[in-house]
Amino acid sequence: QKEVEQNSGPLSVPEGAIASLNCTYSDRGSQSFFWYRQYSGKSPELIMFIYSNGDKEDGRFTAQLNKASQYVSLLIRDSQPSDSATYLCAVRGAQKLVFGQGTRLTINP
Amino acid sequence: DAGVIQSPRHEVTEMGQEVTLRCKPISGHDYLFWYRQTMMRGLELLIYFNNNVPIDDSGMPEDRFSAKMPNASFSTLKIQPSEPRDSAVYFCASSPPGLGETQYFGPGTRLLVL
């Protein structure tokens, strides 16, 4: 089992809809969770982090964490074509940040 | 403020040659990370430093890879000899003091080994 798992996609969502990206992790002791966005040919950039169970909102983005289920998700409301990118989930284990393979998201106008 | 700087941005070399990738972290950051990204394996952590000291090099694929951080503003990742399977994008990232969690990535070096 991989430490951090994501559906590779592609996930296709119509413009204006809600995009839902999911991630599961294996280390029950993980404390910190991150979402990075990576445009094609570019480097990853941090968009959200969450430490506590529940929801954390930042603009159109909401991160959700459920430690009991070892599950973290990212919701993007009012999706825009500019949101089309690969979204990487990252989880801090005992020593380091571990990244998932990423989910490729396409927003269709 | 300048972000993480990497050079070169692109490198094409022949199998067996030595390759040196360079990174300048953001000033004031005390963590530095080297990652490799491929379609097959995704983003993999190779090694990271804290205050110029290597902390975890368990991701370095084999002895052909080495990394150094002689001072707080410079790090190198060297591959000698290079092989075609080393072809990938290599990212350097840095993080401010703390747990090394909020990482800022450089633009990457796209390496192609023929």
Side-chain angles (χ1 to χ4, degrees):
Chain A
Q1 181 188 8
K2 291 183 180 178
E3 291 182 72
V4 180
E5 296 209 50
Q6 296 181 254
N7 187 324
S8 62
L11 176 64
S12 186
V13 173
E15 184 176 357
I18 296 175
S20 178
L21 303 159
N22 304 314
C23 171
T24 58
Y25 59 95
S26 60
D27 183 357
R28 210 168 257 287
S30 299
Q31 295 295 320
S32 312
F33 308 85
F34 304 82
W35 284 99
Y36 283 78
R37 178 177 61 200
Q38 186 174 24
Y39 291 114
S40 180
K42 302 296 185 182
S43 55
E45 57 175 329
L46 180 67
I47 53 173
M48 291 282 296
F49 60 87
I50 186 167
Y51 299 147
S52 305
N53 274 332
D55 295 359
K56 179 181 178 182
E57 189 174 314
D58 183 0
R60 295 186 297 110
F61 297 94
T62 298
Q64 299 176 317
L65 175 61
N66 183 326
K67 290 186 178 179
S69 299
Q70 296 175 243
Y71 177 94
V72 58
S73 64
L74 179 70
L75 302 178
I76 307 174
R77 289 182 301 281
D78 188 23
S79 298
Q80 303 295 311
S82 59
D83 295 326
S84 297
T86 296
Y87 289 80
L88 301 167
C89 172
V91 177
R92 180 176 170 81
Q95 295 290 336
K96 60 191 180 186
L97 209 54
V98 178
F99 284 82
Q101 288 279 85
T103 298
R104 187 155 54 94
L105 174 66
T106 300
I107 307 300
N108 299 310
Chain B
D1 288 341
V4 175
I5 299 172
Q6 290 186 248
S7 65
R9 295 291 306 277
H10 302 273
E11 177 82 18
V12 180
T13 190
E14 292 188 346
M15 182 174 63
Q17 297 298 306
E18 178 179 295
V19 175
T20 299
L21 311 181
R22 297 173 176 79
C23 175
K24 176 179 169 55
I26 294 172
S27 178
H29 286 192
D30 63 356
Y31 283 89
L32 184 138
F33 306 82
W34 281 103
Y35 289 91
R36 177 173 69 177
Q37 187 174 41
T38 61
M39 288 293 292
M40 289 297 294
R41 300 174 68 90
L43 192 63
E44 302 174 280
L45 177 65
L46 300 177
I47 185 171
Y48 77 93
F49 297 82
N50 181 220
N51 290 319
N52 313 337
V53 176
I55 302 301
D56 184 347
D57 66 354
S58 60
M60 296 286 262
E62 48 198 274
D63 292 346
R64 296 185 297 107
F65 285 69
S66 62
K68 293 182 180 180
M69 191 165 187
N71 57 61
S73 59
F74 183 66
S75 176
T76 59
L77 178 68
K78 188 173 293 187
I79 309 172
Q80 166 64 18
S82 58
E83 296 182 4
R85 60 191 166 123
D86 301 331
S87 298
V89 180
Y90 290 80
F91 289 106
C92 175
S94 69
S95 186
L99 296 175
E101 297 178 333
T102 308
Q103 299 181 17
Y104 297 84
F105 283 75
T109 295
R110 206 167 278 274
L111 173 65
L112 178 60
V113 183
L114 301 174

